[in-house]
Amino acid sequence: MSARTLYDKLWDEHVVSQRDDGSALIYIDRHIVHEVTSPQAFEGLRLAGRKPWRVDSVLATPDHNVPTTSNERRSGVEGIEDPISKIQVKTLDENCDELGIVEFKINDQRQGIVHVVGPETGACLPGMTIVCGDSHTSTNGALGALSFGIGTSEVEHVLATQCIVAKKMKNMLVQVDGELAEGVTPKDVVLAIIGEIGTAGGTGFAIEFGGSVFRAMSMEGRLTVCNMAIEAGARAGMVAVDQITLDYVKDKPFAPKGEQWQQAVDHWRQFTSDEDAHFDRVVTLNAADIEPQVSWGTSPEMVLPITGNVPDPTREADPVKKQGIERALFYMGLSAGQAIQDIALDRVFIGSCTNSRIEDIRAAAAVIKGRKKSESVKEAIVVPGSGAVKAQAESEGLDKVFTEAGFEWREPGCSMCLAMNADKLGEGEHCASTSNRNFEGRQGYGGRTHLVSPAMAAAAAIAGKFVDVRKF
Amino acid sequence: MRKFTQLTGLVAPMDRANVDTDLIIPKQFLKSIKRTGFGANLFDELRYLDKGEPGMDNSNRPLNPEFALNRPRYQGASVLLARENFGCGSSREHAPWALEEYGFRSIIAPSFADIFFNNCFKNGVLPIVLSEQVVSRLFDEMYSEEGYQLTIDLQQQQVKTPYGDTFEFEVDAFRKHCLLNGFDDISLTLQDEDKIKAYEEKRKQTSPWLFNAIS
């Protein structure tokens, strides 16, 4: 057989049947479900008189709507103040109970953001195909898995058939070699990549992240990078299996054990791209050139190094792009040429499926320790990605580091990343956010999001404006 | 699913690049557990001057007169003309649900985000990719002529302008087949039930850990 990429291998292993028009029936090993994109799928199943094909492949947890204050969380689902959110979380509980689907309910310690819970429990494993009705499902590709987001009709389709009808994507390699400078994190790497290829650069591709930077990167860093593959337009991002992958997966609650572990490891080691495998597009970045990144506009590709200045639309020749810059500057309340380090902040959000794992919490705490949140910042919240992350952070005393600095330490959920619960920005407020999308209104009506790493968000909370964490 | 065969319809503009699904239907409306009721909140933040919340009576809300879809000349539009990377961001199928319920049966753009593109086909909405030059020309023609209509023929894979120009577009054979017939693709997949079961049996032998129960 000719040389294959990691994506080729994952794809080939899951083809149930190949159709003449180029599409294929692909088997799905793991299906993760949350409350927002599933109710209509369960209803569709019921109306058609169908049952889930394989209940034991499904894992559910509520995350988008759950409140994050301990007061509102205390009485579980019944305590959710927003009546519409409450119905949605209850509906997930009822659907899972009725069908026998395992669900980590709102106050189960294993509850959390779907893309944090999947890897940390071992529900998501190398070599798997994984789907969820959520575009950030690309996260799990960090394990050496084929993992992508789907719509609600496809959620129903996977529940009913255990398969998805798909056409193979093209292969893209994003290669970053060299060494990252101190203070430059996985989030900065992925933001720099998106800045380079654009939000549609990966459309139609599955991206493999390769090169010495990703080989040296921790599993949690790789999860952050793959999480934002979708922000570059790619449904799936992935990193090849290596010893770091295996060490991370070993002993996770749902990881195979004993003899099965050895059998699985032997199988997983093949999930790397062959040396002479063909990629349809290759993009290379030099690690040494990457600085801490800050997004200035309303699309993740509108990103600059901390030392940069906001662009001037009069210098853009393309009329559609020029108009885009003007609209973004207007929405963000920024002026052409303004220095990134002059942007003052109203709120700081540390959390989301991009940056709410223990390493993210530790990185932010390390910057904050012994310092105080700026008076000019109205609110700084830290929302751990899961109950397990929260417990780990508390056992290390990190919650105290945050609360002593004037931050709020919250309960796990998606929170202010998309502001479906009570955590949101006010109109016109600027936020340093460790989340993944800076779209208009994303974090609240009229809210102004700046995407940054946890360390940069922490430093910004202390300074009240963006500062270079390398000099902080 | 509603069939899509042929359509002649009024064209309306969404004249900006990278329109994301948060813009198409903001998150507060995603709390609904139904498939319907999203049309009135399509492009909510652009369409109304106030902040929209679920359960509001949308007929009393102040409309943004600057927003194209609020102009009298675009009322009743069924074709949306858009710029590159339309539908990027979240996988929410509420976006095509909202577009379809509003009345759009087809969207024409130079490019679409993958998940959104796929979701359209599941809801009787036909996304059409035409080159940037052609799309720009259609924008110009639409702006200069009130009542500008396009005819879309899925069988022929053609877009026809009132001036007699015809543009061909690509569409996957399987998606075309489903859309032309309004087929539910779950029943089509279940015709391969035996193949799925055989695949599963084989993998239980080669990769048994994939079938361990989680609890």
Side-chain angles (χ1 to χ4, degrees), chain A residues 299-371:
Chain A
S299 162
E301 70 184 18
M302 293 172 161
V303 67
L304 285 166
I306 177 67
T307 52
N309 293 67
V310 170
D312 182 347
T314 60
R315 293 190 186 175
E316 177 59 59
D318 180 332
V320 176
K321 280 189 184 143
K322 182 175 177 217
Q323 197 192 26
I325 295 172
E326 284 168 345
R327 187 183 289 117
L329 288 178
F330 175 76
Y331 181 84
M332 295 297 290
L334 299 172
S335 45
Q338 183 176 349
I340 293 286
Q341 301 193 42
D342 287 341
I343 300 173
L345 297 159
D346 303 289
R347 289 178 201 268
V348 172
F349 170 60
I350 296 172
S352 87
C353 56
T354 314
N355 283 127
S356 64
R357 297 175 187 83
I358 190 65
E359 288 177 14
D360 301 315
I361 308 288
R362 284 180 191 141
V367 172
I368 283 159
K369 201 173 170 69
R371 289 161 153 158

Side-chain angles (χ1 to χ4, degrees), chain A residues 372-427:
Chain A
K372 294 274 182 221
K373 173 180 80 67
S374 163
E375 291 286 327
S376 64
V377 172
K378 290 179 212 165
E379 184 186 62
I381 64 173
V382 187
V383 186
S386 69
V389 172
K390 182 169 184 262
Q392 178 63 33
E394 287 172 355
S395 77
E396 296 174 23
L398 303 181
D399 55 324
K400 298 280 182 307
V401 173
F402 288 109
T403 51
E404 280 164 16
F407 285 62
E408 289 178 39
W409 179 248
R410 297 287 188 89
E411 300 295 322
C414 299
S415 180
M416 205 191 272
C417 173
L418 86 166
M420 268 189 87
N421 69 354
D423 310 335
K424 49 186 82 154
L425 299 181
E427 220 172 320

Side-chain angles (χ1 to χ4, degrees), chain A residues 124-152:
Chain A
C124 297
L125 294 169
M128 275 184 167
T129 42
I130 304 159
V131 295
C132 173
D134 193 293
S135 60
H136 290 111
T137 307
S138 58
T139 310
N140 302 304
L143 292 157
L146 175 56
S147 185
F148 52 91
I150 55 177
T152 297

